[in-house]
Amino acid sequence: AQSVTQLDSQVPVFEEAPVELRCNYSSSVSVYLFWYVQYPNQGLQLLLKYLSGSTLVKGINGFEAEFNKSQTSFHLRKPSVHISDTAEYFCAVSAWGGGADGLTFGKGTHLIIQP
Amino acid sequence: IAGITQAPTSQILAAGRRMTLRCTQDMRHNAMYWYRQDLGLGLRLIHYSNTAGTTGKGEVPDGYSVSRANTDDFPLTLASAVPSQTSVYFCASSPTRSDTQYFGPGTRLTVL
């Protein structure tokens, strides 16, 4: 079975400041890693994903994440945030080569951008 | 661009009533999923289907059933709704079992 821990339920940050949203996972099998964003009253939209290859992955809206296998982490970063980045962010894993079906999600991090 | 459609958008339901949430995708994806989203709990998998004709149980399947008669449709049925099933329900699909999932807009269900 897999599990995902998002270490912060809420992150306030000033506009144009950098931000990091933290995600750690555990799994007995190899996993793919995802970050999704949910704007108010909307569905989930894929920000970026790690399947294999380079551990630094770039996504939409200027976000990037780094896969660290030894620390089982997949932290999301953005060098300069905007008011429009205010949303709920979810880290998720899916197992390949065995393990549970579907995505296992963290509980989410609410990113609050302050002007 | 269609992707995934869900119906209804929202619904208020009396406890004990039967309800079917509809989900249709036009991407010819093999795998489909149902999740529920509750405040502070993130999204949890209810049921999934890796291909038409097969279904499986997720993390929170009790009180729900699904069917997958064809590739495009994956309805979720609450046989006898209870207040604890008040939630936002999301349908998703992916090309294969472990690939990127694409989400529908959700159905907000309130059981009174």
Side-chain angles (χ1 to χ4, degrees), chain A residues 32 34 36 38 41-44 46 49 51 90 94-103 105-107, chain B residues 33 35 37 40-45 48 50 59 88 90 97-106 108:
Chain A
Y32 296 142
F34 304 85
Y36 284 86
Q38 184 180 35
N41 298 313
Q42 294 187 25
L44 277 72
L46 180 70
K49 62 184 177 183
L51 304 182
F90 292 97
S94 73
W96 59 271
D101 286 84
L103 289 171
F105 284 86
K107 294 183 178 181
Chain B
Y33 311 86
Y35 295 88
Q37 183 180 23
L41 296 179
L43 283 84
R44 293 177 292 167
L45 182 67
Y48 65 90
N50 287 330
E59 181 185 351
V88 180
F90 288 100
R97 177 173 172 261
S98 299
D99 208 338
T100 303
Q101 292 187 19
Y102 299 88
F103 285 79
R108 184 175 296 274

Side-chain angles (χ1 to χ4, degrees), chain A residues 36-55:
Chain A
Y36 284 86
V37 60
Q38 184 180 35
Y39 299 104
N41 298 313
Q42 294 187 25
L44 277 72
Q45 179 182 0
L46 180 70
L47 267 181
L48 48 79
K49 62 184 177 183
Y50 173 78
L51 304 182
S52 65
S54 173
T55 57

Side-chain angles (χ1 to χ4, degrees), chain B residues 23-104:
Chain B
C23 174
T24 299
Q25 55 109 353
D26 65 359
M27 297 176 282
R28 307 302 294 171
H29 286 172
N30 285 317
M32 296 188 75
Y33 311 86
W34 276 104
Y35 295 88
R36 60 177 289 172
Q37 183 180 23
D38 302 290
L39 194 63
L41 296 179
L43 283 84
R44 293 177 292 167
L45 182 67
I46 305 171
H47 284 286
Y48 65 90
S49 169
N50 287 330
T51 188
T54 70
T55 63
K57 294 181 179 180
E59 181 185 351
V60 289
D62 294 342
Y64 305 95
S65 64
V66 292
S67 61
R68 186 89 184 275
N70 57 60
T71 298
D72 299 341
D73 301 299
F74 191 44
L76 176 74
T77 297
L78 290 68
S80 179
V82 295
S84 62
Q85 292 178 311
T86 294
S87 187
V88 180
Y89 291 85
F90 288 100
C91 180
S93 71
S94 63
T96 61
R97 177 173 172 261
S98 299
D99 208 338
T100 303
Q101 292 187 19
Y102 299 88
F103 285 79

